[in-house]
Short mmCIF file of all heavy atoms in Angstrom, two decimals:
data_model
loop_
_atom_site.label_atom_id
_atom_site.label_comp_id
_atom_site.label_asym_id
_atom_site.label_seq_id
_atom_site.Cartn_x
_atom_site.Cartn_y
_atom_site.Cartn_z
N VAL B 1378 -20.75 1.42 -0.14
CA VAL B 1378 -20.06 0.61 0.85
C VAL B 1378 -20.98 0.02 1.89
O VAL B 1378 -21.09 -1.02 2.27
CB VAL B 1378 -18.89 1.29 1.58
CG1 VAL B 1378 -18.25 0.37 2.58
CG2 VAL B 1378 -17.80 1.80 0.56
N LEU B 1379 -21.84 1.05 2.36
CA LEU B 1379 -22.83 0.71 3.34
C LEU B 1379 -24.29 1.00 2.80
O LEU B 1379 -24.49 1.89 1.98
CB LEU B 1379 -22.70 1.66 4.62
CG LEU B 1379 -21.43 1.29 5.46
CD1 LEU B 1379 -21.28 2.40 6.54
CD2 LEU B 1379 -21.34 -0.04 6.12
N LYS B 1380 -25.22 0.33 3.24
CA LYS B 1380 -26.66 0.60 2.84
C LYS B 1380 -27.12 1.82 3.69
O LYS B 1380 -26.49 2.01 4.70
CB LYS B 1380 -27.50 -0.63 3.12
CG LYS B 1380 -27.12 -1.84 2.30
CD LYS B 1380 -28.37 -2.83 2.22
CE LYS B 1380 -28.01 -3.93 1.40
NZ LYS B 1380 -27.28 -5.02 2.07
N ALA B 1381 -28.12 2.44 3.15
CA ALA B 1381 -28.60 3.60 3.83
C ALA B 1381 -28.97 3.35 5.33
O ALA B 1381 -28.57 4.03 6.25
CB ALA B 1381 -29.88 4.18 3.13
N GLN B 1382 -29.56 2.18 5.62
CA GLN B 1382 -29.95 1.98 7.01
C GLN B 1382 -28.62 1.59 7.79
O GLN B 1382 -28.67 1.96 9.04
CB GLN B 1382 -31.00 0.84 7.10
CG GLN B 1382 -31.54 0.66 8.54
CD GLN B 1382 -32.23 1.91 9.01
OE1 GLN B 1382 -32.91 2.69 8.24
NE2 GLN B 1382 -32.04 2.33 10.25
N GLU B 1383 -27.75 1.11 7.27
CA GLU B 1383 -26.44 0.81 7.96
C GLU B 1383 -25.82 2.20 8.38
O GLU B 1383 -25.22 2.27 9.46
CB GLU B 1383 -25.55 -0.03 7.05
CG GLU B 1383 -26.09 -1.35 6.96
CD GLU B 1383 -25.29 -2.30 5.89
OE1 GLU B 1383 -24.45 -1.69 5.09
OE2 GLU B 1383 -25.61 -3.51 5.97
N VAL B 1384 -25.77 3.12 7.50
CA VAL B 1384 -25.22 4.39 7.84
C VAL B 1384 -26.10 5.00 9.05
O VAL B 1384 -25.38 5.47 10.02
CB VAL B 1384 -25.46 5.50 6.56
CG1 VAL B 1384 -25.05 6.87 6.99
CG2 VAL B 1384 -24.62 5.00 5.46
N GLU B 1385 -27.41 4.93 9.02
CA GLU B 1385 -28.15 5.42 10.09
C GLU B 1385 -27.84 4.69 11.38
O GLU B 1385 -27.82 5.24 12.54
CB GLU B 1385 -29.68 5.29 9.80
CG GLU B 1385 -30.09 6.22 8.61
CD GLU B 1385 -29.87 7.66 8.91
OE1 GLU B 1385 -29.93 8.16 10.08
OE2 GLU B 1385 -29.54 8.46 7.87
N ASP B 1386 -27.68 3.42 11.33
CA ASP B 1386 -27.26 2.51 12.50
C ASP B 1386 -26.11 3.04 13.16
O ASP B 1386 -25.93 3.20 14.41
CB ASP B 1386 -27.12 1.01 12.16
CG ASP B 1386 -28.52 0.38 11.78
OD1 ASP B 1386 -29.64 1.08 12.18
OD2 ASP B 1386 -28.49 -0.62 11.12
N ILE B 1387 -24.96 3.26 12.33
CA ILE B 1387 -23.69 3.79 12.76
C ILE B 1387 -23.97 5.17 13.48
O ILE B 1387 -23.44 5.43 14.56
CB ILE B 1387 -22.67 3.79 11.72
CG1 ILE B 1387 -22.28 2.36 11.25
CG2 ILE B 1387 -21.40 4.61 12.15
CD1 ILE B 1387 -21.23 2.37 10.17
N LEU B 1388 -24.64 5.95 12.72
CA LEU B 1388 -24.97 7.37 13.23
C LEU B 1388 -25.60 7.36 14.55
O LEU B 1388 -25.25 8.18 15.41
CB LEU B 1388 -25.86 8.04 12.17
CG LEU B 1388 -25.86 9.53 12.24
CD1 LEU B 1388 -24.56 10.24 12.08
CD2 LEU B 1388 -26.93 10.20 11.22
N SER B 1389 -26.55 6.46 14.71
CA SER B 1389 -27.24 6.46 15.97
C SER B 1389 -26.22 6.25 17.24
O SER B 1389 -26.61 6.47 18.37
CB SER B 1389 -28.40 5.44 15.98
OG SER B 1389 -27.90 4.14 15.89
N LEU B 1390 -25.16 5.48 16.87
CA LEU B 1390 -24.28 5.24 17.91
C LEU B 1390 -23.31 6.48 17.99
O LEU B 1390 -23.05 6.92 19.10
CB LEU B 1390 -23.48 3.89 17.59
CG LEU B 1390 -22.43 3.55 18.58
CD1 LEU B 1390 -22.95 3.27 20.07
CD2 LEU B 1390 -21.60 2.34 18.09
#
Side-chain angles (χ1 to χ4, degrees):
Chain B
V1378 179
L1379 294 173
K1380 296 201 175 82
Q1382 190 55 41
E1383 293 170 344
V1384 172
E1385 293 302 326
D1386 290 342
I1387 291 178
L1388 195 62
S1389 69
L1390 182 62

